[in-house]
Amino acid sequence: MTLRNILVFPDPRLREIAQEVKVFDEKLKSLSEDLLETMYEFKGIGLAATQIGVPKRIIVIDISEEKDEPQVFINPKIKILEEEEKAGYEEGCLSVPSFYEEVIRPVNVEISYNDLDGKEKKIKPAGLLGVVIQHETDHLDGKLMVDYISSTKRERIRSKLLRLKKQKK
Ligand code: GNR
Ligand code: NI
C-alpha cells in the first residue's frame, strides 16, 4: 500500500474525464488499496481516483463510525429515480481543503457499478451514502463541489487555495 498525494483545486487534472475500467486485475486491487489508505490518512469519507491523479473510474467510500467498512465502486453510474425530491448537505472535499458548502442533490438514486472482480451490482443508497457516491462520481466527470456555488465564491476559494500553495513552496 502506498500513501498518495491529493490534488488541490484549481489543479487542471481535477477537470479530466476519467476512463472506464475494463481490466479487473491485481493492479486495480492495489490501486483501490492505495485510495483507501489515502482516504483514511486524510480523514475523508470518500475518495475518487481522479483526486490522486489517476483518471480511472474508481471510487472508495467509508461512512462508518468505526472506519471499518471500506466500499469500492468501479464504473459507477447514477440513475435519478425521481427528480423532485432533493436535499441539501454541507459538503467538504479533500481537494478543496477547509471549505464547506451546501450542495443540493437528488435523494432517490440508483447506482450501477462493478465490484473489484468486475461483477455488475446495483444499489439504492440511503442518506449520506447517496450523497457521497454522487460527490465522488462528479470527480470522475471532472466536476467539483465548488461548481455548485456562485462563481464569485468559487473565485475567492480559488485564489485562497492558490495563495496557500505558493506559500508552501
Ligand atoms: O471527506 C469528505 N466528506 C464529505 C462530506 C460531505 C459530502 C461529501 C464528502 S466526500 C469528502 C472526501 C472527498 O473529497 N471525496 O471526494
Ligand atoms: Ni471530493
Side-chain angles (χ1 to χ4, degrees), residues 46-78:
L47 194 65
T50 303
Q51 292 177 277
I52 61 164
V54 177
K56 294 185 180 161
R57 305 193 79 84
I58 309 165
I59 68 179
V60 298
I61 293 177
D62 190 338
I63 54 166
S64 71
E65 202 68 39
E66 304 287 333
K67 296 284 155 232
D68 57 357
E69 291 172 32
Q71 303 190 66
V72 181
F73 301 86
I74 314 290
N75 303 323
K77 285 180 195 70
I78 296 165

Side-chain angles (χ1 to χ4, degrees), residues 23-152:
V23 183
F24 296 83
D25 56 4
E26 284 306 311
K27 232 180 112 187
L28 176 65
K29 290 191 173 115
S30 135
L31 181 55
S32 306
E33 292 294 325
D34 288 0
L35 276 169
L36 283 165
E37 183 184 350
T38 307
M39 176 188 77
Y40 288 128
E41 174 72 20
F42 292 95
K43 313 263 181 257
I45 56 176
L47 194 65
T50 303
Q51 292 177 277
I52 61 164
V54 177
K56 294 185 180 161
R57 305 193 79 84
I58 309 165
I59 68 179
V60 298
I61 293 177
D62 190 338
I63 54 166
S64 71
E65 202 68 39
E66 304 287 333
K67 296 284 155 232
D68 57 357
E69 291 172 32
Q71 303 190 66
V72 181
F73 301 86
I74 314 290
N75 303 323
K77 285 180 195 70
I78 296 165
K79 184 173 157 194
I80 299 169
L81 297 175
E82 199 252 298
E83 295 274 1
E84 279 70 50
E85 196 185 346
K86 297 190 183 206
Y89 197 92
E90 197 78 1
E91 298 194 10
C93 182
L94 293 171
S95 296
V96 192
S98 80
F99 291 92
Y100 299 85
E101 298 289 343
E102 183 178 63
V103 179
I104 295 166
R105 300 183 188 273
V107 170
N108 297 302
V109 292
E110 180 178 76
I111 315 298
S112 314
Y113 65 99
N114 297 113
D115 70 12
L116 276 170
D117 298 313
K119 195 165 177 250
E120 304 218 359
K121 301 265 178 97
K122 213 178 258 188
I123 55 163
K124 282 184 195 155
L128 181 60
L129 183 59
V131 173
V132 181
I133 294 177
Q134 291 181 71
H135 174 113
E136 302 311 336
T137 305
D138 273 352
H139 277 301
L140 303 182
D141 294 323
K143 189 159 188 184
L144 294 165
M145 187 187 99
V146 291
D147 299 338
Y148 292 89
I149 61 181
S150 73
S151 56
T152 318

